[in-house]
Amino acid sequence: AQSVAQPEDQVNVAEGNPLTVKCTYSVSGNPYLFWYVQYPNRGLQFLLKYITGDNLVKGSYGFEAEFNKSQTSFHLKKPSALVSDSALYFCAVRDRTGGFKTIFGAGTRLFVKA
Amino acid sequence: EAGVTQFPSHSVIEKGQTVTLRCDPISGHDNLYWYRRVMGKEIKFLLHFVKESKQDESGMPNNRFLAERTGGTYSTLKVQPAELEDSGVYFCASQGQGLTGELFFGEGSRLTVL
């Protein structure tokens, strides 16, 4: 069965420091991988995706993510965190052979302290 | 362009009552999804429409849940009769054509069953 694991419920980082939000997945085939962000009382917003090619993908608001096939991971990163990055982050996967169904993790709350 | 809209934003009902949630996807998006998030847990897939057809309803919890998509436009999700465990935030998302496309989410409908 497909699954997504976000091992940290919360990540705390000081403003200006680099941040990493971890994600590992389990799918039967080669996945499409996504990160979404949710701000309070809002819907999820797309940040970035990995489809094929370069393992390092860049997205909105200075975020990037690295696809590691051997470790089945897709960690979200940003070189310098902002207080405004504080939000709930969701990793998601879609199996290329499994149709359009997208599976989400439980989310990681990022708290950036000034 | 208008985004995905959901109504109501919050509904409080008693056990045994009926609630209908509505989702208006982005115009022209054939794919429409319903998801549910219970506090602190993953965003769980419920079902997927392609136009007016149910493509995948493997995530629907039981026959108390009924989803429809009239004419391939807006969708409704009815819960009848509601149980305590149905409480959570119900998200609707739409997607254009193509397996690699990201989802566009509404702000969610929070359902509280007392």
Side-chain angles (χ1 to χ4, degrees):
Chain A
Q2 300 177 42
S3 65
V4 177
Q6 293 183 242
E8 302 151 317
D9 291 335
Q10 181 164 315
V11 170
N12 299 307
V13 64
E15 187 174 35
N17 283 359
L19 69 88
T20 299
V21 181
K22 295 180 180 177
C23 172
T24 58
Y25 61 89
S26 175
V27 297
S28 56
N30 293 318
Y32 299 125
L33 299 160
F34 303 82
W35 275 100
Y36 291 81
V37 59
Q38 185 184 24
Y39 297 102
N41 300 315
R42 303 296 300 275
L44 278 72
Q45 298 176 31
F46 168 75
L47 269 182
L48 52 78
K49 63 184 175 184
Y50 171 81
I51 302 301
T52 187
D54 194 346
N55 289 344
L56 184 66
V57 294
K58 296 185 183 297
S60 307
Y61 312 120
F63 283 94
E64 57 190 29
E66 186 168 13
F67 168 59
N68 187 316
K69 185 175 182 178
S70 63
Q71 296 185 4
T72 61
S73 67
F74 190 56
H75 300 331
L76 181 69
K77 300 180 180 183
K78 187 173 182 181
S80 178
L82 299 172
V83 172
S84 57
D85 292 331
S86 298
L88 190 55
Y89 291 81
F90 291 94
C91 181
V93 299
R94 183 183 301 155
D95 188 344
R96 295 170 192 249
T97 60
F100 283 71
K101 184 176 178 178
T102 303
I103 304 298
F104 285 81
T108 299
R109 186 164 299 281
L110 174 66
F111 180 70
V112 181
K113 184 178 180 180
Chain B
E1 77 184 358
V4 178
T5 57
Q6 293 186 244
F7 181 84
S9 58
H10 193 185
S11 181
V12 181
I13 61 173
E14 294 189 351
K15 176 182 174 180
Q17 290 186 321
T18 297
V19 64
T20 299
L21 310 178
R22 172 171 170 145
C23 169
D24 287 78
I26 291 173
S27 178
H29 279 190
D30 290 341
N31 296 285
L32 185 149
Y33 306 80
W34 283 98
Y35 285 87
R36 177 175 69 180
R37 186 172 193 242
V38 175
M39 181 67 72
K41 297 194 175 181
E42 76 273 16
I43 298 174
K44 184 176 181 296
F45 170 85
L46 297 178
L47 89 159
H48 169 216
F49 283 100
V50 177
K51 297 184 180 179
E52 68 276 7
S53 300
K54 292 177 185 175
Q55 190 74 14
D56 181 350
E57 51 184 331
S58 61
M60 294 288 266
N62 50 59
N63 59 10
R64 295 186 294 103
F65 288 74
L66 175 64
E68 295 178 324
R69 188 177 183 192
T70 305
T73 55
Y74 70 91
S75 175
T76 57
L77 180 64
K78 179 190 289 187
V79 184
Q80 180 182 28
E83 299 288 343
L84 299 179
E85 64 265 25
D86 300 333
S87 296
V89 180
Y90 290 77
F91 289 103
C92 174
S94 71
Q95 178 195 358
Q97 293 181 354
L99 193 56
T100 62
E102 62 269 23
L103 303 180
F104 293 82
F105 280 84
E107 295 189 352
S109 292
R110 180 177 297 278
L111 174 63
T112 302
V113 183
L114 302 176

